[in-house]
Amino acid sequence: MMQLPIRALLCALVALGGTTDAAAEETRIDVRVLARGAKFLPGHGSVPVTLRDSDTGELLARGWTAGGTGDTARILGAGPGAPRTGPGDNAAVFSTSVDLDRPRLIAVEVGSPEGPSRAGRQISTQWVLPGRHLTHGDGWVVEMPGLVVDIVSPAAHGFSVPGEEIDLVAGVTLICGCGFEPGGTWDADGVAVDAWIYRDGETVAVVPLGYAGRSSRFEGAYRPTTAGVHEIEIRAWAPRWNNAGVGRTSVFVR
């Protein structure tokens, strides 16, 4: 009996309605979100994570990270390619699994953590192979840039009068909640914080805010001379990590 070549045999099977599709394999994926220049974003249900097929848009998995910020020394001391997580450090993670019958180009999207950061969203894309788990070391790490600028004073839509001093106070942290202190792990002297004051769309003052004597607190003052709505935009800039953040409020002066 004549032996058919493998390719001919496969073609014959397809013609007869047979299939050569591989069985789907469970593929585990760990996703972690790292604040640029700092630690993992912590908390329970703190960061939304979505996995989709990059080509078709098919939803593959969705959930939230849960856990802690990780070990500071391990994270900041890790060399290129070295893991930043280890046993017992509880670094926040979203763990899931997808069934793949072929390689897929998968996009993971992480949203802003809850709160005032407004860091937007980050999308990372890579090939994922059936049965090749993305769980080694830190898993799939997505970096989230930005600083959180939380305006303490003035209160939103507050009132003042011309000539009255307005206290400008803001809390500034990295997105993971890590604070700035003079000479600290994240040095307050390496952060520039300024308040830009606008009236009728025009810049009327730029006020530098200095360290206020407590972690991540910066303060200054502004004295309006004319009535009107004064928009206050507080900008924070950490050049060491190319990190920026913005907070906005307004005051009615009348």
Side-chain angles (χ1 to χ4, degrees), residues 66-181:
T69 59
D71 182 87
T72 303
R74 189 193 307 274
I75 294 170
L76 299 185
R84 287 161 289 194
T85 58
D89 65 9
N90 191 34
V93 64
F94 168 63
S95 296
T96 188
S97 65
V98 294
D99 292 330
L100 302 180
D101 59 3
R102 65 187 186 281
R104 289 213 196 187
L105 188 62
I106 292 179
V108 59
E109 176 183 321
V110 299
S112 294
E114 295 178 352
S117 68
R118 293 179 58 85
R121 60 178 184 168
Q122 300 297 314
I123 299 176
S124 176
T125 305
Q126 74 171 27
W127 283 103
V128 182
L129 308 180
R132 302 299 189 182
H133 310 301
L134 301 186
T135 57
H136 177 71
D138 304 328
W140 190 340
V141 178
V142 181
E143 182 185 77
M144 180 76 76
L147 301 173
V148 176
V149 179
D150 187 12
I151 297 179
V152 178
S153 176
H157 313 305
F159 293 91
S160 186
V161 297
E164 181 179 71
E165 188 172 86
I166 298 174
D167 291 329
L168 304 172
V169 184
V172 179
T173 68
L174 291 121
I175 291 180
C176 58
C178 302
F180 292 100
E181 297 178 354

Side-chain angles (χ1 to χ4, degrees), residues 36-82:
R36 178 181 292 174
K39 304 174 71 176
F40 292 99
L41 271 60
H44 178 72
S46 61
V47 182
V49 179
T50 302
L51 276 72
R52 294 184 183 276
D53 185 298
S54 182
D55 294 321
T56 67
E58 178 188 353
L59 177 65
L60 301 176
R62 176 177 286 161
W64 299 77
T65 62
T69 59
D71 182 87
T72 303
R74 189 193 307 274
I75 294 170
L76 299 185

Side-chain angles (χ1 to χ4, degrees), residues 14 26 33 68 90 98 100 112 135 179 190 215 226 231 242:
V14 172
E26 180 188 32
V33 185
N90 191 34
V98 294
L100 302 180
S112 294
T135 57
S215 179
T226 57
E231 299 175 2
N242 295 312

